[in-house]
Amino acid sequence: MAKKRPQTKAVKPQATDGEIPVVGAREPCPCGSGRRYKACHGRAAAHAVTELVQRPFEGLNGECDWVALRELVPAATAPLALKGGLPEGVPSVTLATVLPMAWPALRRDDGSILLALQNESSSGDLARDLADTLQRALETEPGNPVPARRVPAEGPRLQDLLDADVDFAPEVHEGFEFWVPESSEGASTEVTASLERANAAAIPTVKLTGVDSAYWCETPDKNHLRWVMPHPEEKLLDALARLHAAGTSSLGEDTRLVGSFRAHGLMVPVWDLPSAMGAEECEKPAAEFAERLAAALAEDAPLTPEQRRARGGLTNRQVTLS
């Protein structure tokens, strides 16, 4: 028979004043409960670190463009405004799709900050990761990149740091020359090599001006329009199905709605375009489609059998990016 373990008297948790400090996962919890930190006050922290936030950019101005710059656009920047204004010694804060050597952020020699959007998330909440990187960039000495790190479970999110009264205005670039300021005498060998590789891999992309958050891109065989939309997924699928069944879901001759991405809680319908159709040629058809979509979104009648079949086809051609 197995020996019985001697029963130990449970240790009564002791009251503590103030915040419980973070200690090693296997160390006794500072609250005095007698349990290891990971089984006591560390449980909530561990859960917060791994919990995936489905819509990390919700509540930010230009949520759809944040998603596009995170997942679809190779080279773009956007100025960011902080609540309370910029601190002394920081002339500007700029969001960038990506930075050389995958730096999370860079504090330039003049004190300005570039914050990279397309880096990995360690906490499951991109908004918290980016806020942590931004705060560390503000404290970094000019002329240095900000290293990656595991983000604490608790802390501010971008929504807490950015000025909600300022519009989000991304600018799409042909390449990554924005990495090197015009006033710079030259980039390091590593940055130059990284710049050449990034430029070689970048897909030509243009943001349409007549509709929100639609991005034209050029590929060797055909062009595409990828349009991040803010509407609830089920309602948007119904509307697209109505248009698809009616034969009005295209953007003109030789164009076709081929499916959609699902990214950060939003849907991104995708159209195939002929290689001769550039971004300018997309403007009018996209604006006309936006009107048809608005009318379809306003309908609330049950889908017909043909519309349900169209919806099923669209659903089967969905790809989840995040």
Side-chain angles (χ1 to χ4, degrees), residues 136-207:
R136 290 189 291 129
L138 293 169
E139 299 171 355
T140 297
E141 289 294 321
N144 292 285
V146 178
R149 75 165 185 176
R150 179 170 289 279
V151 176
E154 296 181 358
R157 307 176 73 236
L158 277 178
Q159 290 83 342
D160 303 316
L161 302 183
L162 300 186
D163 189 339
D165 294 328
V166 178
D167 291 337
F168 185 67
E171 178 184 359
V172 178
H173 303 279
E174 293 183 1
F176 295 87
E177 282 73 19
F178 62 85
W179 286 352
V180 183
E182 294 181 1
S183 59
S184 174
E185 295 182 358
S188 67
T189 302
E190 292 83 359
V191 171
T192 300
S194 184
L195 175 62
E196 292 175 353
R197 290 193 300 270
N199 281 343
I203 297 174
T205 301
V206 177
K207 186 180 189 296

Side-chain angles (χ1 to χ4, degrees), residues 40-60:
C40 192
H41 281 84
R43 295 176 68 178
H47 177 69
V49 167
T50 58
E51 185 178 15
L52 178 64
V53 175
Q54 298 294 334
R55 287 181 64 179
F57 307 120
E58 186 176 15
L60 290 174

Side-chain angles (χ1 to χ4, degrees), residues 76-306:
T77 57
L80 298 179
L82 306 187
K83 289 181 179 179
L86 296 171
E88 185 178 356
V90 181
S92 65
V93 176
T94 303
L95 184 74
T97 46
V98 68
L99 291 176
M101 277 76 77
W103 290 331
L106 171 65
R107 182 84 183 270
R108 284 176 163 165
D109 291 336
D110 65 352
S112 62
I113 291 171
L114 286 177
L115 176 67
L117 180 58
Q118 295 182 8
N119 285 350
E120 294 299 321
S121 171
S122 65
S123 73
D125 182 357
L126 275 168
R128 178 168 284 116
D129 287 353
L130 289 164
D132 178 79
T133 302
L134 176 55
Q135 286 187 312
R136 290 189 291 129
L138 293 169
E139 299 171 355
T140 297
E141 289 294 321
N144 292 285
V146 178
R149 75 165 185 176
R150 179 170 289 279
V151 176
E154 296 181 358
R157 307 176 73 236
L158 277 178
Q159 290 83 342
D160 303 316
L161 302 183
L162 300 186
D163 189 339
D165 294 328
V166 178
D167 291 337
F168 185 67
E171 178 184 359
V172 178
H173 303 279
E174 293 183 1
F176 295 87
E177 282 73 19
F178 62 85
W179 286 352
V180 183
E182 294 181 1
S183 59
S184 174
E185 295 182 358
S188 67
T189 302
E190 292 83 359
V191 171
T192 300
S194 184
L195 175 62
E196 292 175 353
R197 290 193 300 270
N199 281 343
I203 297 174
T205 301
V206 177
K207 186 180 189 296
L208 299 195
T209 60
V211 294
D212 293 333
S213 310
Y215 292 80
W216 171 93
C217 68
E218 179 184 13
T219 60
D221 297 328
K222 62 185 69 174
N223 299 337
H224 304 280
L225 185 70
R226 301 179 291 188
W227 194 339
V228 187
M229 296 187 172
H231 317 292
E233 181 174 327
E234 297 302 314
K235 190 172 183 63
L236 179 55
L237 279 170
D238 282 352
L240 292 174
R242 296 180 196 278
L243 297 178
H244 205 59
T248 58
S249 64
S250 74
L251 299 176
E253 187 177 357
D254 295 329
T255 71
R256 185 167 67 99
L257 175 63
V258 292
S260 63
F261 298 126
R262 183 189 289 114
H264 305 292
L266 298 181
M267 264 187 65
V268 189
V270 178
W271 285 263
D272 275 352
L273 312 173
S275 57
M277 190 173 185
E280 290 186 4
E281 289 76 25
C282 283
E283 293 284 1
K284 184 179 179 181
E288 293 172 345
F289 177 84
E291 294 180 358
R292 297 196 299 273
L293 179 63
L297 286 166
E299 293 188 39
D300 55 6
L303 296 182
T304 66
E306 185 180 5

